[in-house]
PDB file of all heavy atoms in Angstrom:
ATOM      1  N   ILE A1509       1.763  -0.238   8.238  1.00  0.00           N
ATOM      2  CA  ILE A1509       0.885  -1.395   8.252  1.00  0.00           C
ATOM      3  C   ILE A1509       0.741  -2.017   9.656  1.00  0.00           C
ATOM      4  O   ILE A1509      -0.242  -2.724   9.959  1.00  0.00           O
ATOM      5  CB  ILE A1509       1.375  -2.528   7.263  1.00  0.00           C
ATOM      6  CG1 ILE A1509       2.776  -2.951   7.567  1.00  0.00           C
ATOM      7  CG2 ILE A1509       1.235  -2.068   5.827  1.00  0.00           C
ATOM      8  CD1 ILE A1509       3.176  -4.193   6.770  1.00  0.00           C
ATOM      9  N   GLY A1575      -1.940  -3.462   5.662  1.00  0.00           N
ATOM     10  CA  GLY A1575      -1.098  -4.593   5.268  1.00  0.00           C
ATOM     11  C   GLY A1575      -2.055  -5.771   5.155  1.00  0.00           C
ATOM     12  O   GLY A1575      -3.026  -5.934   5.787  1.00  0.00           O
ATOM     13  N   ALA A1576      -1.719  -6.712   4.178  1.00  0.00           N
ATOM     14  CA  ALA A1576      -2.541  -7.896   4.008  1.00  0.00           C
ATOM     15  C   ALA A1576      -2.200  -8.942   4.994  1.00  0.00           C
ATOM     16  O   ALA A1576      -1.118  -8.929   5.668  1.00  0.00           O
ATOM     17  CB  ALA A1576      -2.310  -8.452   2.590  1.00  0.00           C
ATOM     18  N   PRO A1577      -3.133  -9.903   5.259  1.00  0.00           N
ATOM     19  CA  PRO A1577      -2.932 -10.897   6.332  1.00  0.00           C
ATOM     20  C   PRO A1577      -1.575 -11.645   6.188  1.00  0.00           C
ATOM     21  O   PRO A1577      -0.901 -11.839   7.231  1.00  0.00           O
ATOM     22  CB  PRO A1577      -4.070 -11.837   6.143  1.00  0.00           C
ATOM     23  CG  PRO A1577      -5.181 -10.939   5.544  1.00  0.00           C
ATOM     24  CD  PRO A1577      -4.472  -9.975   4.671  1.00  0.00           C
ATOM     25  N   PHE A1578      -1.177 -12.016   4.983  1.00  0.00           N
ATOM     26  CA  PHE A1578       0.072 -12.744   4.898  1.00  0.00           C
ATOM     27  C   PHE A1578       1.255 -11.910   5.386  1.00  0.00           C
ATOM     28  O   PHE A1578       2.095 -12.328   6.137  1.00  0.00           O
ATOM     29  CB  PHE A1578       0.354 -13.256   3.450  1.00  0.00           C
ATOM     30  CG  PHE A1578       1.641 -13.993   3.277  1.00  0.00           C
ATOM     31  CD1 PHE A1578       1.741 -15.301   3.510  1.00  0.00           C
ATOM     32  CD2 PHE A1578       2.801 -13.247   3.056  1.00  0.00           C
ATOM     33  CE1 PHE A1578       2.981 -16.011   3.409  1.00  0.00           C
ATOM     34  CE2 PHE A1578       4.082 -13.942   2.980  1.00  0.00           C
ATOM     35  CZ  PHE A1578       4.154 -15.263   3.151  1.00  0.00           C
ATOM     36  N   THR A1579       1.343 -10.623   4.915  1.00  0.00           N
ATOM     37  CA  THR A1579       2.485  -9.792   5.266  1.00  0.00           C
ATOM     38  C   THR A1579       2.456  -9.440   6.720  1.00  0.00           C
ATOM     39  O   THR A1579       3.491  -9.503   7.355  1.00  0.00           O
ATOM     40  CB  THR A1579       2.469  -8.526   4.314  1.00  0.00           C
ATOM     41  OG1 THR A1579       2.760  -9.074   2.987  1.00  0.00           O
ATOM     42  CG2 THR A1579       3.499  -7.546   4.730  1.00  0.00           C
ATOM     43  N   LEU A1580       1.255  -9.157   7.252  1.00  0.00           N
ATOM     44  CA  LEU A1580       1.185  -8.862   8.718  1.00  0.00           C
ATOM     45  C   LEU A1580       1.545 -10.128   9.467  1.00  0.00           C
ATOM     46  O   LEU A1580       2.275 -10.059  10.482  1.00  0.00           O
ATOM     47  CB  LEU A1580      -0.199  -8.418   9.061  1.00  0.00           C
ATOM     48  CG  LEU A1580      -0.631  -7.019   8.591  1.00  0.00           C
ATOM     49  CD1 LEU A1580      -2.116  -6.811   8.945  1.00  0.00           C
ATOM     50  CD2 LEU A1580       0.271  -5.916   9.095  1.00  0.00           C
ATOM     51  N   GLY A1581       1.023 -11.254   9.003  1.00  0.00           N
ATOM     52  CA  GLY A1581       1.270 -12.559   9.707  1.00  0.00           C
ATOM     53  C   GLY A1581       2.785 -12.844   9.726  1.00  0.00           C
ATOM     54  O   GLY A1581       3.303 -13.289  10.767  1.00  0.00           O
ATOM     55  N   SER A1582       3.474 -12.509   8.632  1.00  0.00           N
ATOM     56  CA  SER A1582       4.915 -12.810   8.593  1.00  0.00           C
ATOM     57  C   SER A1582       5.612 -11.963   9.657  1.00  0.00           C
ATOM     58  O   SER A1582       6.494 -12.544  10.407  1.00  0.00           O
ATOM     59  CB  SER A1582       5.460 -12.456   7.177  1.00  0.00           C
ATOM     60  OG  SER A1582       6.852 -12.517   7.245  1.00  0.00           O
ATOM     61  N   TYR A1583       5.310 -10.702   9.832  1.00  0.00           N
ATOM     62  CA  TYR A1583       5.945  -9.943  10.953  1.00  0.00           C
ATOM     63  C   TYR A1583       5.641 -10.508  12.303  1.00  0.00           C
ATOM     64  O   TYR A1583       6.438 -10.604  13.136  1.00  0.00           O
ATOM     65  CB  TYR A1583       5.536  -8.459  10.848  1.00  0.00           C
ATOM     66  CG  TYR A1583       6.225  -7.690   9.778  1.00  0.00           C
ATOM     67  CD1 TYR A1583       5.564  -7.200   8.666  1.00  0.00           C
ATOM     68  CD2 TYR A1583       7.617  -7.418   9.837  1.00  0.00           C
ATOM     69  CE1 TYR A1583       6.263  -6.502   7.712  1.00  0.00           C
ATOM     70  CE2 TYR A1583       8.249  -6.769   8.833  1.00  0.00           C
ATOM     71  CZ  TYR A1583       7.553  -6.280   7.747  1.00  0.00           C
ATOM     72  OH  TYR A1583       8.222  -5.579   6.796  1.00  0.00           O
ATOM     73  N   LEU A1584       4.364 -10.922  12.498  1.00  0.00           N
ATOM     74  CA  LEU A1584       3.932 -11.443  13.746  1.00  0.00           C
ATOM     75  C   LEU A1584       4.609 -12.780  14.102  1.00  0.00           C
ATOM     76  O   LEU A1584       4.945 -13.058  15.257  1.00  0.00           O
ATOM     77  CB  LEU A1584       2.395 -11.629  13.842  1.00  0.00           C
ATOM     78  CG  LEU A1584       1.585 -10.339  13.930  1.00  0.00           C
ATOM     79  CD1 LEU A1584       0.135 -10.624  13.761  1.00  0.00           C
ATOM     80  CD2 LEU A1584       1.887  -9.598  15.192  1.00  0.00           C
ATOM     81  N   HIS A1593      11.060 -16.078   5.228  1.00  0.00           N
ATOM     82  CA  HIS A1593       9.746 -16.313   5.800  1.00  0.00           C
ATOM     83  C   HIS A1593       9.604 -17.771   6.201  1.00  0.00           C
ATOM     84  O   HIS A1593       8.568 -18.399   6.024  1.00  0.00           O
ATOM     85  CB  HIS A1593       8.575 -15.897   4.851  1.00  0.00           C
ATOM     86  CG  HIS A1593       8.823 -14.462   4.260  1.00  0.00           C
ATOM     87  ND1 HIS A1593       8.332 -13.427   4.974  1.00  0.00           N
ATOM     88  CD2 HIS A1593       9.390 -13.992   3.194  1.00  0.00           C
ATOM     89  CE1 HIS A1593       8.630 -12.280   4.268  1.00  0.00           C
ATOM     90  NE2 HIS A1593       9.305 -12.628   3.230  1.00  0.00           N
ATOM     91  N   THR A1596       7.103 -18.535   9.065  1.00  0.00           N
ATOM     92  CA  THR A1596       5.769 -18.325   8.562  1.00  0.00           C
ATOM     93  C   THR A1596       5.307 -19.515   7.798  1.00  0.00           C
ATOM     94  O   THR A1596       4.163 -20.030   7.941  1.00  0.00           O
ATOM     95  CB  THR A1596       5.814 -17.047   7.692  1.00  0.00           C
ATOM     96  OG1 THR A1596       6.401 -15.981   8.403  1.00  0.00           O
ATOM     97  CG2 THR A1596       4.421 -16.641   7.214  1.00  0.00           C
ATOM     98  N   TRP A1607      -2.857 -21.642  11.085  1.00  0.00           N
ATOM     99  CA  TRP A1607      -2.591 -20.650  10.045  1.00  0.00           C
ATOM    100  C   TRP A1607      -3.847 -19.940   9.592  1.00  0.00           C
ATOM    101  O   TRP A1607      -3.906 -18.717   9.548  1.00  0.00           O
ATOM    102  CB  TRP A1607      -1.890 -21.268   8.860  1.00  0.00           C
ATOM    103  CG  TRP A1607      -1.789 -20.379   7.676  1.00  0.00           C
ATOM    104  CD1 TRP A1607      -2.672 -20.328   6.592  1.00  0.00           C
ATOM    105  CD2 TRP A1607      -0.821 -19.319   7.477  1.00  0.00           C
ATOM    106  NE1 TRP A1607      -2.240 -19.366   5.683  1.00  0.00           N
ATOM    107  CE2 TRP A1607      -1.111 -18.704   6.213  1.00  0.00           C
ATOM    108  CE3 TRP A1607       0.315 -18.912   8.204  1.00  0.00           C
ATOM    109  CZ2 TRP A1607      -0.389 -17.631   5.737  1.00  0.00           C
ATOM    110  CZ3 TRP A1607       0.998 -17.808   7.693  1.00  0.00           C
ATOM    111  CH2 TRP A1607       0.660 -17.249   6.461  1.00  0.00           C
ATOM    112  N   MET A1611      -4.987 -16.040   9.908  1.00  0.00           N
ATOM    113  CA  MET A1611      -5.360 -15.232   8.735  1.00  0.00           C
ATOM    114  C   MET A1611      -6.730 -14.648   8.854  1.00  0.00           C
ATOM    115  O   MET A1611      -6.950 -13.515   8.478  1.00  0.00           O
ATOM    116  CB  MET A1611      -5.275 -16.106   7.427  1.00  0.00           C
ATOM    117  CG  MET A1611      -3.877 -16.532   6.997  1.00  0.00           C
ATOM    118  SD  MET A1611      -2.796 -15.175   6.554  1.00  0.00           S
ATOM    119  CE  MET A1611      -1.716 -15.057   8.053  1.00  0.00           C
ATOM    120  N   LEU A1614      -6.610 -11.779  11.353  1.00  0.00           N
ATOM    121  CA  LEU A1614      -6.020 -10.654  10.717  1.00  0.00           C
ATOM    122  C   LEU A1614      -6.881  -9.958   9.741  1.00  0.00           C
ATOM    123  O   LEU A1614      -6.933  -8.758   9.569  1.00  0.00           O
ATOM    124  CB  LEU A1614      -4.699 -10.989  10.183  1.00  0.00           C
ATOM    125  CG  LEU A1614      -3.536 -11.269  11.172  1.00  0.00           C
ATOM    126  CD1 LEU A1614      -2.291 -11.861  10.493  1.00  0.00           C
ATOM    127  CD2 LEU A1614      -3.143 -10.025  11.945  1.00  0.00           C
ATOM    128  N   PHE A1636      -1.529  -3.777   0.978  1.00  0.00           N
ATOM    129  CA  PHE A1636      -0.096  -4.107   0.769  1.00  0.00           C
ATOM    130  C   PHE A1636       0.160  -5.564   1.176  1.00  0.00           C
ATOM    131  O   PHE A1636       0.268  -5.803   2.373  1.00  0.00           O
ATOM    132  CB  PHE A1636       0.809  -3.213   1.574  1.00  0.00           C
ATOM    133  CG  PHE A1636       0.961  -1.779   1.033  1.00  0.00           C
ATOM    134  CD1 PHE A1636       0.177  -0.788   1.535  1.00  0.00           C
ATOM    135  CD2 PHE A1636       1.950  -1.554   0.042  1.00  0.00           C
ATOM    136  CE1 PHE A1636       0.374   0.521   1.047  1.00  0.00           C
ATOM    137  CE2 PHE A1636       2.118  -0.208  -0.397  1.00  0.00           C
ATOM    138  CZ  PHE A1636       1.348   0.812   0.107  1.00  0.00           C
ATOM    139  N   ASP A1637       0.354  -6.450   0.162  1.00  0.00           N
ATOM    140  CA  ASP A1637       0.826  -7.785   0.515  1.00  0.00           C
ATOM    141  C   ASP A1637       2.283  -7.883   0.036  1.00  0.00           C
ATOM    142  O   ASP A1637       2.630  -8.755  -0.794  1.00  0.00           O
ATOM    143  CB  ASP A1637      -0.040  -8.871  -0.078  1.00  0.00           C
ATOM    144  CG  ASP A1637      -0.057 -10.088   0.870  1.00  0.00           C
ATOM    145  OD1 ASP A1637       0.783 -10.165   1.791  1.00  0.00           O
ATOM    146  OD2 ASP A1637      -0.912 -11.010   0.666  1.00  0.00           O
ATOM    147  N   SER A1638       3.103  -7.010   0.623  1.00  0.00           N
ATOM    148  CA  SER A1638       4.494  -6.805   0.148  1.00  0.00           C
ATOM    149  C   SER A1638       5.254  -8.107  -0.002  1.00  0.00           C
ATOM    150  O   SER A1638       6.009  -8.268  -0.913  1.00  0.00           O
ATOM    151  CB  SER A1638       5.217  -5.846   1.050  1.00  0.00           C
ATOM    152  OG  SER A1638       4.496  -4.615   1.066  1.00  0.00           O
ATOM    153  N   TRP A1639       5.126  -9.021   0.956  1.00  0.00           N
ATOM    154  CA  TRP A1639       6.044 -10.226   0.948  1.00  0.00           C
ATOM    155  C   TRP A1639       5.416 -11.503   0.431  1.00  0.00           C
ATOM    156  O   TRP A1639       6.017 -12.512   0.527  1.00  0.00           O
ATOM    157  CB  TRP A1639       6.630 -10.419   2.358  1.00  0.00           C
ATOM    158  CG  TRP A1639       7.106  -9.128   3.021  1.00  0.00           C
ATOM    159  CD1 TRP A1639       6.931  -8.777   4.286  1.00  0.00           C
ATOM    160  CD2 TRP A1639       7.879  -8.096   2.409  1.00  0.00           C
ATOM    161  NE1 TRP A1639       7.490  -7.521   4.535  1.00  0.00           N
ATOM    162  CE2 TRP A1639       8.124  -7.127   3.402  1.00  0.00           C
ATOM    163  CE3 TRP A1639       8.406  -7.891   1.136  1.00  0.00           C
ATOM    164  CZ2 TRP A1639       8.833  -5.949   3.119  1.00  0.00           C
ATOM    165  CZ3 TRP A1639       9.119  -6.734   0.887  1.00  0.00           C
ATOM    166  CH2 TRP A1639       9.343  -5.770   1.862  1.00  0.00           C
ATOM    167  N   VAL A1640       4.204 -11.402  -0.176  1.00  0.00           N
ATOM    168  CA  VAL A1640       3.521 -12.627  -0.571  1.00  0.00           C
ATOM    169  C   VAL A1640       4.211 -13.283  -1.795  1.00  0.00           C
ATOM    170  O   VAL A1640       3.920 -14.456  -2.113  1.00  0.00           O
ATOM    171  CB  VAL A1640       1.977 -12.332  -0.835  1.00  0.00           C
ATOM    172  CG1 VAL A1640       1.826 -11.741  -2.184  1.00  0.00           C
ATOM    173  CG2 VAL A1640       1.207 -13.572  -0.620  1.00  0.00           C
ATOM    174  N   GLY A1641       5.101 -12.552  -2.510  1.00  0.00           N
ATOM    175  CA  GLY A1641       5.808 -13.109  -3.585  1.00  0.00           C
ATOM    176  C   GLY A1641       6.678 -14.282  -3.172  1.00  0.00           C
ATOM    177  O   GLY A1641       7.140 -15.087  -4.017  1.00  0.00           O
ATOM    178  N   VAL A1652      -3.711 -18.258   1.073  1.00  0.00           N
ATOM    179  CA  VAL A1652      -3.859 -16.741   1.082  1.00  0.00           C
ATOM    180  C   VAL A1652      -5.039 -16.286   0.400  1.00  0.00           C
ATOM    181  O   VAL A1652      -5.801 -15.400   0.977  1.00  0.00           O
ATOM    182  CB  VAL A1652      -2.546 -16.148   0.482  1.00  0.00           C
ATOM    183  CG1 VAL A1652      -2.582 -14.606   0.590  1.00  0.00           C
ATOM    184  CG2 VAL A1652      -1.263 -16.687   1.138  1.00  0.00           C
ATOM    185  N   PHE A1671      -1.490  -4.880  -3.991  1.00  0.00           N
ATOM    186  CA  PHE A1671      -0.071  -4.805  -4.376  1.00  0.00           C
ATOM    187  C   PHE A1671       0.785  -5.869  -3.633  1.00  0.00           C
ATOM    188  O   PHE A1671       0.640  -6.082  -2.432  1.00  0.00           O
ATOM    189  CB  PHE A1671       0.430  -3.399  -4.079  1.00  0.00           C
ATOM    190  CG  PHE A1671       1.910  -3.307  -4.274  1.00  0.00           C
ATOM    191  CD1 PHE A1671       2.528  -3.207  -5.536  1.00  0.00           C
ATOM    192  CD2 PHE A1671       2.805  -3.312  -3.158  1.00  0.00           C
ATOM    193  CE1 PHE A1671       3.897  -3.193  -5.722  1.00  0.00           C
ATOM    194  CE2 PHE A1671       4.186  -3.308  -3.339  1.00  0.00           C
ATOM    195  CZ  PHE A1671       4.704  -3.217  -4.588  1.00  0.00           C
ATOM    196  N   GLY A1672       1.743  -6.416  -4.331  1.00  0.00           N
ATOM    197  CA  GLY A1672       2.762  -7.232  -3.750  1.00  0.00           C
ATOM    198  C   GLY A1672       4.039  -7.179  -4.563  1.00  0.00           C
ATOM    199  O   GLY A1672       4.011  -6.748  -5.709  1.00  0.00           O
TER     200      GLY A1672
END
Side-chain angles (χ1 to χ4, degrees):
I1509 57 170
F1578 178 89
T1579 292
L1580 292 176
S1582 171
Y1583 282 112
L1584 288 174
H1593 307 275
T1596 308
W1607 170 263
M1611 292 295 103
L1614 288 171
F1636 282 96
D1637 212 348
S1638 301
W1639 313 138
V1640 81
V1652 184
F1671 170 78

